[in-house]
Amino acid sequence: MTMSGKRFASRIEGIEISGIRRAFEAASADFINLGLGEPDFDTPEHIKTAAIQALKSGFTSYTFNKGIPELREAISDKLLRQNHLSVSPEEIIVTSGASEALHIAILSVVESGDEVLIPNPGFVSYSPLTRLADARPVGVPLNDSDDYTISIEALKERITARTKALIINSPANPTGAVEPETNIKAIAELASDHHLTIISDEVYEHLVYDGAKHISPARFYDGVITVNAVSKTYAMTGFRLGYVAANKEYIEQMLKVHQYIQACASSISQKAALAAITGPQDCVVEMRNEFKRRRDFLVSALRSMGIRFPVPKGAFYIFPEVNDEHDFVERLRRRRVIVTPGSAFGTRGSNHVRISYAANFDLLRQAIAIMSEII
Ligand SMILES: Cc1ncc(COP(=O)(O)O)c(C=O)c1O
């Protein structure tokens, strides 16, 4: 048989499917899935209604590439009110989730030979997205002794003449770390000194506990692309709706990528996001309170089993150390509980697991009972 024309780009052949997806696919309906990064809550009713109204009124065509003006205005207001950022609606592009936002940010800033500093352990997309842009991801090691916050020294040591950008993610996936304001300021200063772009992934901004505060680096430096989404805040992961905010030079470049790979975000999702951002915010507070209740339960249950980890101050993950991650994951899987192996998040994640508490309290209780049996 002759070979067909199936010859692929080395750029893509070198990239693996995310370990999180694999964990998800391994689970059937009767599994307790603590492997996923999405709220288990239903999307609030007023947001669903806005989506239904958009459909019924025939709001089903392409929108402006950047997104509908009223949504960009709402995001601009939100950034001023909540993040103390002065960003005009023209400096915002509405995207298909934070995923697309990260993609267009990285593609617009880096090229072959460039280095991008990424947290290690960090969100699974940062390294592959950097490599898709033909650039090289350089991990900045995070330590549990620093509560997994970024060490400015470690960051400094990894800056070379080829470093072009750095990605920060606070509150963080998979560690739940929240960077203190002093760190955010120091990172902004360092980036400014070395003319680096900061890509700040803020999708978990509203999920902070124990008085921790989310601080946007764009407050201190104009070389920041702020990435965010309604996905986690409003339990809207399937709507695929996010955005980038940055000053106009960045927007001009990112818009070209967005225009050709996406054209525009879903018109229906844009109307839903408008309702989410401008509507009542009690749903956000309720979800945060429930996440905190679950976090507190898990922290004390895991601690009483002798498992080590810093108490996460944000997001909905705990990232404990285990003796042998693959053995731990497999033994749990046999008892129908899914957690994500830590090495999915980078070399420094090995012999850790990520436990997501975006699952209801009863399931968490059952999972803890099973964990205590296998430990
Ligand atoms: C840190 C981080 N950034 C971005 C995303 C992607 O968000 P979205 O669903 O809006 O594309 C996720 C999803 O898990 C995430 O954890």
Side-chain angles (χ1 to χ4, degrees):
M1 199 167 65
T2 55
M3 278 293 287
S4 64
K6 293 189 190 108
R7 300 194 314 158
F8 299 106
S10 53
R11 182 196 301 120
I12 197 68
E13 282 193 315
I15 288 174
E16 279 189 35
I17 289 289
S18 150
I20 301 186
R21 281 284 127 195
R22 262 187 276 137
F24 178 48
E25 279 152 17
S28 55
D30 58 338
F31 276 60
I32 300 176
N33 193 343
L34 310 185
L36 273 188
E38 65 179 337
D40 56 310
F41 305 112
D42 199 7
T43 307
E45 220 40 55
H46 67 283
I47 301 175
K48 288 191 196 169
T49 303
I52 292 165
Q53 272 168 359
L55 261 176
K56 284 198 168 154
S57 67
F59 195 73
T60 53
S61 308
Y62 291 129
T63 69
F64 288 134
N65 295 130
K66 277 186 177 174
I68 56 174
E70 57 271 45
L71 176 58
R72 284 183 286 119
E73 295 216 355
I75 294 168
S76 163
D77 287 348
K78 173 253 179 261
L79 290 170
L80 185 62
R81 237 180 318 114
Q82 298 178 349
N83 307 84
H84 311 289
L85 303 180
S86 172
V87 181
S88 79
E90 284 310 303
E91 295 171 309
I92 291 163
I93 303 173
V94 178
T95 59
S96 277
S99 301
E100 191 220 340
L102 288 166
H103 187 45
I104 66 173
I106 295 171
L107 265 188
S108 304
V109 170
V110 308
E111 60 194 323
S112 173
D114 286 343
E115 292 173 359
V116 179
L117 299 175
I118 64 169
N120 181 7
F123 175 50
V124 290
S125 294
Y126 302 146
S127 171
L129 286 178
T130 300
R131 288 197 277 137
L132 282 177
D134 293 328
R136 195 166 85 83
V138 175
V140 178
L142 306 176
N143 293 305
D144 57 359
S145 55
D146 298 326
D147 289 347
Y148 291 121
T149 59
I150 295 169
S151 145
I152 304 301
E153 278 315 303
L155 197 59
K156 238 185 231 166
E157 281 166 16
R158 283 162 183 80
I159 295 176
T160 70
R162 319 220 64 156
T163 311
K164 193 76 158 289
L166 68 98
I167 302 180
I168 58 178
N169 172 218
S170 173
N173 175 4
T175 63
V178 179
E179 296 293 338
E181 181 166 348
T182 46
N183 248 19
I184 295 285
K185 274 188 178 154
I187 294 166
E189 210 170 297
L190 196 61
S192 166
D193 290 348
H194 295 269
H195 310 290
L196 308 180
T197 294
I198 298 178
I199 298 171
S200 176
D201 179 345
E202 307 187 5
V203 295
Y204 297 104
E205 67 171 338
H206 289 288
L207 299 178
V208 284
Y209 320 112
D210 304 336
K213 287 211 158 40
H214 162 72
I215 307 286
S216 298
R219 273 172 66 177
F220 310 113
Y221 176 45
D222 65 357
V224 179
I225 300 173
T226 303
V227 168
N228 210 331
V230 292
S231 311
K232 317 281 176 172
T233 306
Y234 301 99
M236 292 176 68
T237 50
F239 283 80
R240 311 307 307 128
L241 205 290
Y243 54 92
V244 283
N247 69 27
K248 119 167 169 304
E249 291 86 346
Y250 283 115
I251 293 292
E252 271 169 22
Q253 302 307 323
M254 287 190 287
L255 187 58
K256 291 185 243 172
V257 192
H258 172 70
Q259 187 173 1
Y260 293 118
I261 67 171
Q262 190 64 34
C264 65
S266 145
S267 56
I268 298 155
S269 299
Q270 291 188 59
K271 286 286 191 186
L274 179 63
I277 294 171
T278 57
Q281 301 297 300
D282 353 351
C283 52
V284 179
V285 177
E286 280 161 25
M287 287 191 257
R288 176 171 52 229
N289 290 345
E290 176 57 17
F291 280 132
K292 180 175 183 303
R293 183 170 84 103
R294 297 173 187 178
R295 182 205 65 156
D296 292 348
F297 165 70
L298 274 186
V299 165
S300 73
L302 293 170
R303 281 268 159 90
S304 67
M305 289 179 216
I307 297 181
R308 264 172 34 89
F309 57 91
V311 175
K313 292 206 173 63
F316 40 64
Y317 309 106
I318 299 190
F319 199 64
E321 195 178 346
V322 293
N323 281 335
D324 175 338
E325 71 181 276
H326 297 293
D327 177 60
F328 188 86
V329 168
E330 181 51 29
R331 281 193 292 146
L332 276 179
R333 200 191 59 77
R334 274 193 237 125
R335 301 287 308 272
R336 305 186 104 63
V337 176
I338 300 285
V339 296
T340 312
S343 47
F345 305 96
T347 51
R348 305 274 299 188
S350 72
N351 290 336
H352 288 73
V353 289
R354 188 189 72 174
I355 301 174
S356 162
Y357 48 91
N360 84 39
F361 211 88
D362 284 343
L363 292 179
L364 288 178
R365 248 196 252 280
Q366 290 172 39
I368 282 292
I370 293 169
M371 265 181 227
S372 65
E373 283 169 27
I374 71 152
I375 275 171

